[in-house]
Amino acid sequence: MLWLHGYKRNGLPCGLIRLHEFLLRDMIAYFEEGKVARKKIKDARKAVKQALKMAKKKKINPSLKINLARQVLEELLEEAENTRKVIKATAEEMDNAIRCIEEERVGEVLSLVDRSHELFRNKEMERAMDLLRESQAKMKNKILEKSRTAILGGIHSDVKNLKYELQEKRKKATP
C-alpha cells in the first residue's frame, strides 16, 4: 500500500478522496475492460446477433437466444448490485469506525476539559486540576483501545458477511 504515505503529508481526508478517485477509475475500467464484463457483453452481443439472424432468415421467434442474452446481462447486473451492496456496507462501517474513534480520541477529552473549565469558573481549583490531569492522561494514551476492540474485534460485520456470501457465490459458479 504505497499510497498511504500521502496521508502523512496531506491528511486522511485528502488521502480518502484520492482513494475514492482510484476506486471510481477501477470500477469504470472493470465494467469497460474487465475480463468478466468483456466476456459477458461479448456473449450477450453474440446472442442478440444470432437472434436477429434467426428472426430475419427463418421468420421465427428467437426466444432461446433472447433469453440467453437476458441471462448474461442479468449476471452483469447482479455484479453491479453486489458492488453497490459492498460500497454501502463499507461506507456504513467506516462511518461507525470514525464515530468511535472520534468519541474516544476527542469526545471524552473534550468533555473533561469543558468540565474543568466550568470548575475553574466556580473557583474549585483542585477538582478542575484533577480533571485536567485526567484529560492529559487520556491524550497521552496513543492506542485507541476501545475503538480497536469495537471495530476490529467483531467477528462478523456486514462487510465480512458480504465477503463470505460473494465467495460462496463464486465457488458455486465455478465447478
Side-chain angles (χ1 to χ4, degrees):
M1 292 190 181
L2 297 173
W3 43 266
L4 286 177
H5 73 282
Y7 290 157
K8 294 177 185 173
R9 186 180 33 193
N10 299 327
L12 185 61
C14 288
L16 290 174
I17 289 171
R18 194 166 155 219
L19 177 64
H20 174 262
E21 292 169 352
F22 286 136
L23 284 174
L24 286 177
R25 285 190 203 117
D26 283 350
M27 280 193 306
I28 291 170
Y30 177 81
F31 284 104
E32 281 180 348
E33 306 162 359
K35 184 179 178 181
V36 174
R38 256 193 355 240
K39 184 180 182 321
K40 289 183 192 279
I41 293 295
K42 181 181 174 184
D43 291 345
R45 261 195 331 258
K46 185 178 174 183
V48 168
K49 183 179 178 181
Q50 289 173 348
L52 283 170
K53 190 176 184 180
M54 189 181 287
K56 187 177 181 182
K57 284 190 176 184
K58 297 183 182 178
K59 305 284 187 206
I60 60 171
N61 183 1
S63 62
L64 185 64
K65 297 296 180 182
I66 291 173
N67 286 338
L68 180 64
R70 281 186 50 76
Q71 180 185 3
V72 172
L73 290 172
E74 284 175 356
E75 288 173 5
L76 199 57
L77 182 64
E78 183 180 346
E79 186 83 18
E81 286 298 320
N82 287 338
T83 304
R84 181 178 288 116
K85 284 181 190 176
V86 169
I87 288 172
K88 284 182 182 179
T90 54
E92 288 174 13
E93 192 166 309
M94 290 174 79
D95 187 46
N96 291 338
I98 199 68
R99 273 196 193 112
C100 191
I101 291 168
E102 179 183 61
E103 178 59 33
E104 186 174 356
R105 180 59 79 193
V106 179
E108 293 175 1
V109 176
L110 188 60
S111 66
L112 289 173
V113 169
D114 286 344
R115 278 191 274 151
S116 70
H117 184 69
E118 192 64 35
L119 289 173
F120 276 124
R121 282 188 190 157
N122 296 337
K123 306 221 184 314
E124 296 179 36
M125 297 297 183
E126 277 306 310
R127 284 184 35 191
M129 288 175 35
D130 287 341
L131 285 176
L132 284 178
R133 285 188 197 102
E134 187 179 340
S135 67
Q136 185 180 27
K138 285 191 184 266
M139 285 188 282
K140 196 176 194 180
N141 188 9
K142 292 182 181 177
I143 297 174
L144 301 169
E145 294 175 20
K146 292 177 187 176
S147 298
R148 280 184 175 273
T149 305
I151 297 165
L152 303 174
I155 296 173
H156 291 287
S157 66
D158 290 340
V159 175
K160 288 181 184 177
N161 291 339
L162 278 171
K163 178 182 174 184
Y164 296 139
E165 181 182 317
L166 292 173
Q167 286 174 347
E168 288 297 317
K169 284 182 182 179
R170 297 237 190 267
K171 284 180 185 177
K172 289 178 183 176
T174 56

